[in-house]
Amino acid sequence: MPDLVVAMGDKAERRRTNRGTAVVSYWVWAERAAELSPFVGLSRTAVEQTEVIAAIAQLPSSVFELFVEKSRAGFARMNGASGYRVQILDPEYLRIVRLYPANPFSVFISNAKTVDRVEEAARRSTYPVLHVTTARTSAVPQLGALRHDHIHALYVRVLQCLEKNGEPEWVLLPKADGARADWSLEDCGVPEIQHGVTIPNEIALRSMRFRLAAGEPLPPFRVGEGGTAAAPVNVPMLAAIQVSVDGLRTIRSRFAAEHGERPVGPPVDTIIWSSAVDSRLAVPIRPGEAPPDGLVPVLRALLQQRDYPALTNQTPSTLKMIAGSKEALAAMQIRKQELALSTAAIGLLSSGYF
């Protein structure tokens, strides 16, 4: 853990510098796992952090956001000045990680398997860190209870530590005793669908303290509707994407109009993503054995997917066979977990650029 060992005398004049970062670093400590998800190759450790990644998007991306009003923070995010910094690491790295000066404002997030080791490291650290956990039986504060006040308290502790150790004063950082920002919860009118196609935009809106309107669930698809991009099964999802994108862009336009200064970085207007499946995917079977019933059509549907739902072109008898196959259901569950992580990660990226 970091250790500031050089202290200056009380009468020494403290140097000032324009260098430094205001970004809050979120360190997710989870034991490394050798197992990879079968369709994309994501580590099991990462897949287990889906809810943590989504929760981070509701927290400040930088200490500036503790003090600036919402539209200015949104304008900074739109122009690439305030993206989120998240790292998922095995706790073995706790013994060599160095926080200062690259990661001065650090939040450690542990789980039930790592909470004790992370808490011990945080307790031994001579440099301030904030430790929260998802473990339910720990005395460590819960991630779900983390608020801006806790980040502000960390900010104060870091500044005091740097001053005590004679480190240069970062003149571009806000004053710790400055007026705090109040990001009031606003209605935005964008419906909350909670579908994979809209969740990233919904995460980004909630990240800036916007309240979503009640939305209607997308209609279930019918067998035989799919097969092309313009198929009826895709129409509701395309419409949902357009509504969420238009709603978010309306607020972005408002933020841009309120702050006419030159953008601080390269603006990001659109993020387009697709979660692909490895084309080398094969059914692991022993020589002379047939693959499990229902698994082959599921894998084939994932490899040849043409619609947002993956099983639109299956016959009723095939769907019944899939529903009765534990291997097929397990494959779909794993794919669901991969997509959930991808969606949360894109939501965090979207939040960083609003």
Side-chain angles (χ1 to χ4, degrees), residues 293-295 317-329 332:
D293 288 343
L295 182 58
S317 60
T318 301
L319 287 174
K320 183 177 181 180
M321 179 175 60
I322 290 171
S325 167
K326 63 180 182 181
E327 292 85 2
L329 295 178
M332 289 192 290

Side-chain angles (χ1 to χ4, degrees), residues 60-105:
S61 64
S62 81
V63 294
F64 274 114
E65 294 188 347
L66 300 171
F67 302 94
V68 299
E69 50 95 13
K70 183 193 297 188
S71 67
R72 180 166 292 278
F75 183 76
R77 289 192 185 192
M78 288 161 50
N79 291 286
S82 196
Y84 281 91
R85 181 182 293 171
V86 178
Q87 301 183 75
I88 302 177
L89 293 173
D90 188 281
E92 69 179 55
Y93 290 102
L94 284 165
R95 56 187 175 82
I96 60 173
V97 69
R98 295 293 180 263
L99 302 181
Y100 181 80
N103 302 281
F105 312 110

Side-chain angles (χ1 to χ4, degrees), residues 297-348:
V298 166
L299 300 183
R300 186 180 294 119
L302 291 176
L303 286 170
Q304 302 174 355
Q305 189 169 351
R306 297 291 182 270
D307 310 289
Y308 284 103
L311 299 174
T312 52
N313 281 332
Q314 308 302 317
T315 64
S317 60
T318 301
L319 287 174
K320 183 177 181 180
M321 179 175 60
I322 290 171
S325 167
K326 63 180 182 181
E327 292 85 2
L329 295 178
M332 289 192 290
Q333 179 63 27
I334 293 170
R335 180 60 178 156
K336 179 181 178 180
Q337 292 172 346
E338 289 182 336
L339 288 171
L341 173 61
S342 300
T343 302
I346 296 300
L348 185 68

Side-chain angles (χ1 to χ4, degrees), residues 2 21 32 44 49 93 112 118 138 143 149 178-179 184 201 223 228 230 236 247 249 257 261 334 345 350:
T21 177
R32 180 186 298 141
R44 179 174 59 80
Q49 306 309 315
Y93 290 102
V118 175
S138 172
L143 171 62
D149 287 346
S184 58
N201 288 331
V223 176
T228 67
R249 284 184 170 171
E261 64 266 29
I334 293 170
S350 301

Side-chain angles (χ1 to χ4, degrees), residues 167-199:
E167 293 297 315
E169 179 184 5
W170 297 351
V171 296
L172 296 182
L173 291 179
K175 298 296 183 182
D177 58 355
R180 296 277 302 281
D182 179 18
W183 290 15
S184 58
L185 188 61
E186 295 181 65
D187 291 321
C188 65
V190 178
E192 183 175 19
I193 306 298
Q194 276 294 300
H195 189 284
V197 300
T198 63
I199 286 175

